[in-house]
Amino acid sequence: MRNRLLVGLAVALAAIALPATASTFIAMDQNELLTASSAVVQGKVLDVRSFWNEDNTIIVTEARVEVAELVAGAAPAVVTVKTFGGEVGDYRIEAHGFPTFAAGEQVLLYLEQDGRDYRVAGYRQGQYRVVDTPKGKVAKPTLEEGVRLFTKTGQLAPRPATVELDVLKNNIRSARDLVGGQAIR
């Protein structure tokens, strides 16, 4: 009981000390991201559109992603990924920590299925931009600087690092295989 109280107090104090633009999330490691995902895909964002939800209370953004490679799980050739935030007319909602997309960008995504649509598992923790470098392709995490990650015990967690794309995909496949393919729902 005392540990829970101390963890809660530590997280609350950290949240108070953060700038107003910061968001706080519980850190997810690769196995947790895989467990939350129905698929991991590498692909290209075809188009992005933002619109008001049915109640006209929040802006939602949809990105259609053409799957170039299915790294784990199952997904159609084109997935529609939904997230909060976006811009409609003169209104803009920035949802810190939530994924953002731009047409034409290359991505690697851990995806949770929601009916016909998908969302990124772990908010931006499950979103990487694929970038060409002189040494080859890398997967670059998309977490903004203001986003803070905490462990389940209340400690500040390390931020995800840029990694060679093939290394990340091999790590995903190895983690999936270690649990007999059960990590992906």
Side-chain angles (χ1 to χ4, degrees):
M1 179 70 174
R2 182 172 181 243
N3 285 343
R4 284 186 186 167
L5 182 62
L6 290 175
V7 168
L9 181 61
V11 170
L13 287 174
I16 291 170
L18 297 175
T21 60
S23 294
T24 303
F25 296 95
I26 298 295
M28 295 177 75
D29 64 25
Q30 183 170 260
N31 288 340
E32 291 168 319
L33 284 169
L34 282 169
T35 300
S37 300
S38 56
V40 179
V41 302
Q42 179 187 343
K44 179 180 179 180
V45 178
L46 297 173
D47 52 50
V48 180
R49 74 180 189 98
S50 297
F51 53 92
W52 289 100
N53 67 351
E54 291 179 11
D55 299 329
N56 287 328
T57 56
I58 188 94
I59 294 176
V60 176
T61 295
E62 285 183 344
R64 286 186 330 115
V65 178
E66 180 178 40
V67 177
E69 182 179 348
L70 187 59
V71 181
V78 175
V79 294
T80 301
V81 182
K82 283 189 175 179
T83 189
F84 291 106
E87 189 170 342
V88 176
D90 293 336
Y91 295 94
R92 178 181 180 90
I93 295 179
E94 290 185 29
H96 295 280
F98 284 80
T100 61
F101 297 94
E105 73 182 348
Q106 301 288 327
V107 293
L108 183 133
L109 304 170
Y110 291 79
L111 296 173
E112 295 180 69
Q113 192 164 4
D114 184 17
R116 288 188 201 158
D117 298 321
Y118 292 83
R119 65 179 165 257
V120 176
Y123 304 95
R124 281 198 178 181
Q125 294 176 76
Q127 180 188 31
Y128 290 81
R129 289 203 170 74
V130 176
V131 179
D132 287 312
T133 70
K135 294 184 179 182
K137 292 183 185 283
V138 296
K140 185 175 181 176
T142 63
L143 280 176
E144 306 112 310
E145 285 302 313
V147 173
R148 302 286 193 262
L149 299 174
F150 286 92
T151 65
K152 291 178 180 116
T153 60
Q155 303 297 314
L156 191 60
R159 296 178 65 79
T162 299
V163 63
E164 291 178 33
L165 179 61
D166 288 338
V167 169
L168 178 58
K169 291 191 298 189
N170 287 335
N171 287 343
I172 291 166
R173 290 182 185 112
S174 294
R176 176 202 63 205
D177 293 343
L178 279 176
V179 292
Q182 298 300 312
I184 296 283
R185 296 189 267 145

